[in-house]
Amino acid sequence: MKFVFAIPHLLRLKATVQPWEAGVTGADQTRMVKRADELGYDMISTPEHFIIPNEHLDLSGPHYFHAAAAQAYFAGATQRILINSSVAILPLQHPVVTAKALATIDWLSSGRAIATFGVGWLEKEFEILGVPFRERGRMADEYLAAIIELWTSDAPCFEGEYVAFRDVAFEPKPVQKPHLPIWIGGDSDAALKRAARFASGWWPFLTPAEEIAARIDFIKSQPNFRGGSFEVMYGLQTSRVGEGHVVRKNPQDSAPMSAQEIVDGLNRLRERGVTMSSVPIPPVKDVDAYLDYAQWVIEEIKPRVQ
């Protein structure tokens, strides 16, 4: 099992946030990712929204980064840890721009970038940015094909409904070959079929833990499944957040998990096909307490689930 370090104040979801997290600064986050790198965490990830309509503020909060910009910064602050997005909203940016940003991060970080893409769910955000919400699935499939063409071809050429290019050059190519890993975030059949076709990893959000194994089988049963190793990320607190960021389980009502409960939970996930997870931090008072607990997880928990 690989371990993901959750960075406080990348977002402020009502379902997961602790009161002190809103005061976490960029300098705090820099210190935390450096420490996560030192401790041996395997990955960090950055969520993304570009703009939040007021009617969603109560559940979703206003605070989000541009995923690739944050990935680039965190890559520059660290040495070995993998830098993912979770999720980058694929249809909301031109694929050439997305391909360039991620190839740049992968090249500069010596091959530590991953991209978890989703099609998005917040219709008003699409409306504000002038992107057709009902076409986002078709756009995502085409964008993924175009991005891979740019990353892998010495003479990139693509002709689609939403993007086209020919007689162009594109460098730097990603350091990782054939290209940096693509994961798909989401739970629908369409998302899983997209993962089978394009991806080497899946990040579910709404799928119950007991259904993970069956959904992995669904991905691998698709005729265009790419084969090879396949990562699945599922955190122990995933069940706290529902569709539209609704609160399924109030974090303030949950007692801290014991070491054995954490180990048992992670081992159950591993048996279901999960390869990466994160451990929810119990109520703490500040960044230092957060980092102390994160160190405890690596020293006491990780060796018992490998």
Side-chain angles (χ1 to χ4, degrees), residues 15-286:
T16 61
V17 71
Q18 296 187 36
W20 61 272
E21 292 182 48
V24 169
T25 66
D28 292 328
Q29 291 177 340
T30 304
R31 179 163 71 95
M32 284 189 279
V33 298
K34 287 177 179 290
R35 185 59 178 148
D37 198 25
E38 294 168 355
L39 288 171
Y41 277 85
D42 298 287
M43 190 175 78
I44 58 179
S45 68
T46 60
E48 177 175 83
H49 276 291
F50 294 97
I51 195 162
I52 302 294
N54 282 341
E55 60 263 32
H56 288 277
L57 284 180
D58 180 54
L59 293 176
S60 298
H63 183 87
Y64 293 87
F65 293 152
H66 182 292
Q71 285 178 269
Y73 179 82
F74 292 140
T78 55
Q79 298 293 321
R80 48 154 296 279
I81 198 166
L82 297 175
I83 316 293
N84 202 342
S85 55
S86 176
V87 296
I89 309 172
L90 183 58
L92 291 184
Q93 290 191 120
H94 195 285
V96 174
V97 176
T98 297
K100 177 63 72 172
L102 289 166
T104 300
I105 297 167
D106 198 60
W107 195 86
L108 288 171
S109 68
S110 301
R112 291 190 287 129
I114 304 173
T116 300
F117 290 123
V119 300
W121 61 272
L122 190 49
E123 186 170 357
K124 183 70 172 179
E125 185 175 22
F126 278 70
E127 179 184 328
I128 292 168
L129 292 173
V131 178
F133 183 74
R134 303 300 171 191
E135 299 175 33
R136 68 195 191 283
R138 295 202 311 275
M139 294 176 72
D141 288 340
E142 186 174 299
Y143 281 17
L144 284 166
I147 288 168
I148 291 171
E149 173 70 8
L150 290 166
W151 283 345
T152 59
S153 176
D154 291 332
C157 181
F158 191 85
E159 189 70 37
E161 179 182 358
Y162 301 101
V163 59
F165 47 79
R166 64 175 61 251
D167 302 322
V168 297
F170 182 92
E171 290 190 15
K173 302 294 188 188
V175 170
Q176 299 177 82
K177 301 301 179 188
H179 53 74
L180 63 95
I182 292 171
W183 295 9
I184 297 297
D187 304 85
S188 67
D189 285 357
L192 271 59
K193 291 176 181 178
R194 190 170 294 119
R197 179 182 174 189
F198 293 107
S200 58
W202 173 46
W203 197 316
F205 297 95
L206 303 177
T207 301
E210 58 271 18
E211 297 177 15
I212 290 290
R215 300 300 273 165
I216 295 172
D217 288 342
F218 179 83
I219 293 171
K220 294 183 176 181
S221 71
Q222 299 305 305
N224 55 2
F225 176 62
R226 299 170 70 254
S229 61
F230 193 82
E231 301 278 10
V232 178
M233 164 61 197
Y234 196 91
L236 281 181
Q237 70 172 3
T238 296
S239 61
R240 293 181 182 178
V241 186
E243 188 170 1
H245 294 159
V246 300
V247 180
R248 281 178 171 170
K249 297 180 181 178
N250 190 327
Q252 308 307 318
D253 295 339
S254 301
M257 300 173 70
S258 69
Q260 191 59 53
E261 287 173 328
I262 294 170
V263 170
D264 290 345
L266 291 171
N267 280 326
R268 282 193 297 270
L269 291 177
R270 180 175 52 81
E271 292 166 0
R272 290 165 173 158
V274 173
T275 64
M276 287 192 174
S277 191
S278 60
V279 175
I281 304 295
V284 295
K285 64 179 181 178
D286 56 24

